[in-house]
Amino acid sequence: LGAWSFGTVGVSATLALAGLATLAFASIPLLVRERPGERMLPWTAGAASPEAEAIQLHGWAEIGRSLRRVVFLPASLVTALVGFGLNVSQGFFEGFGPVFTVQTLGWTDGAFSNTMAVAKLVGGVVGMVGGGLLVTWLGRTRAIRVAALAVAAVGVAMGLVAPFWGSSLVVQAYLMLFVTAKTLATIAFFATCMALCWKRVAAVQFGLFMAIANLGLMAGSALMGPLVEATTDAQALFVMAVFPAVVALLTLRVDVATHVDCVEALDRPAASAPGQPVLTV
């Protein structure tokens, strides 16, 4: 839609449409209550739920202390590295894709945009239908592992078929398979992050996971230029496949169940029996 809009109605109208779409989606939470009986808006009827009041923190110091206690648990630290590594490959892909297809292979901008639109649509549909099933079937971390290995395999396979890059079907298959595998990996990563979040600081903790993952995007984009200049395109694909492969290994060190037990212990220090040690982090 974006590619069509740029060519049909121009840049200004496209940016306006993008802004309106973002505003529409951002407005949806205003119309949804998280818990029964809460206010829809600050000036409407309702009251805070006891559940929300029980986990409410007051003051930046208390938020900071609580965040420190959960962020430095092993599973949190490793999962942050997982998000960074996954997005290094994504940042490289986003920079490499248009340069590779348009400048190297001679595609038009429209051909690349349309192929990516289809790839993201396919990846989105597969993610919506299969992402939850994959996580349920394999478990959160195993789902990340399988999807990350698929991302690595797609990159290696694309590098190995370099003599066939002149076929648009080969390149289209690469783009679609990469986007689909990365979408599944991202869904499993989000599910893992949500499982690791401590309710009292969940918003800040999840935001921290996303911020570190976004640093991976920046790193991947920054690596793309020097890597492509120093190697062939096929070799660059091989190098970037290392990152999701490392991510797959890192997931072996993420124990969600143990982390959840630690977080539950943080929630009940006062309930510990006399003489029992209280978990401190």
Side-chain angles (χ1 to χ4, degrees):
L1 178 60
W4 170 86
S5 180
F6 270 121
T8 305
V9 297
V11 175
S12 296
T14 300
L15 293 176
L17 289 172
L20 289 173
T22 303
L23 180 62
F25 283 112
S27 300
I28 291 174
L30 295 176
L31 308 176
V32 179
R33 287 186 176 88
E34 185 172 356
R35 301 177 182 87
E38 292 182 332
R39 292 186 180 96
M40 183 72 74
L41 296 168
W43 52 85
T44 59
S49 69
E51 180 185 356
E53 290 184 333
I55 62 174
Q56 181 68 43
L57 298 180
H58 303 280
W60 287 104
E62 189 176 1
I63 292 173
R65 286 193 297 269
S66 297
L67 187 64
R68 177 181 58 81
R69 298 177 75 187
V70 70
V71 162
F72 287 103
L73 291 174
S76 289
L77 294 173
V78 178
T79 300
L81 291 176
V82 165
F84 182 89
L86 280 175
N87 275 2
V88 167
S89 59
Q90 177 68 28
F92 171 83
F93 175 82
E94 291 179 355
F96 178 75
V99 173
F100 172 64
T101 55
V102 176
Q103 295 185 12
T104 303
L105 300 182
W107 286 25
T108 64
D109 292 338
F112 174 75
S113 297
N114 290 334
T115 300
M116 284 303 300
V118 173
K120 290 181 178 180
L121 179 61
V122 171
V125 171
V126 172
M128 286 187 293
V129 175
L133 293 175
L134 186 68
V135 171
T136 302
W137 179 38
L138 297 177
R140 297 178 184 88
T141 56
R142 192 176 297 174
I144 297 176
R145 194 177 312 137
V146 169
L149 289 175
V151 171
V154 169
V156 171
M158 185 60 178
L160 292 175
V161 299
F164 302 97
W165 286 352
S167 170
S168 60
L169 290 177
V170 171
V171 181
Q172 288 169 353
Y174 161 68
L175 296 175
M176 291 186 185
L177 289 173
F178 180 94
V179 170
T180 301
K182 178 57 172 58
T183 299
L184 292 172
T186 299
I187 290 170
F189 169 67
F190 285 173
T192 303
C193 290
M194 287 187 281
L196 297 180
C197 284
W198 190 10
K199 283 186 178 180
R200 63 173 61 195
V201 288
V204 182
Q205 186 182 351
F206 191 84
L208 188 58
F209 280 131
M210 296 304 102
I212 294 173
N214 284 336
L215 289 177
L217 281 175
M218 296 164 58
S221 297
L223 283 172
M224 191 276 293
L227 186 59
V228 170
E229 289 180 359
T231 64
T232 65
D233 288 337
Q235 290 169 342
L237 289 167
F238 294 149
V239 172
M240 293 312 299
V242 171
F243 287 91
V246 171
V247 163
L249 292 175
L250 286 174
T251 59
L252 295 171
R253 308 299 301 173
V254 179
D255 189 336
V256 176
T258 299
H259 179 92
V260 170
D261 289 341
C262 291
V263 170
E264 289 177 352
L266 292 174
D267 269 327
R268 58 173 187 271
S272 299
Q276 281 191 326
V278 176
L279 174 68
T280 58
V281 179

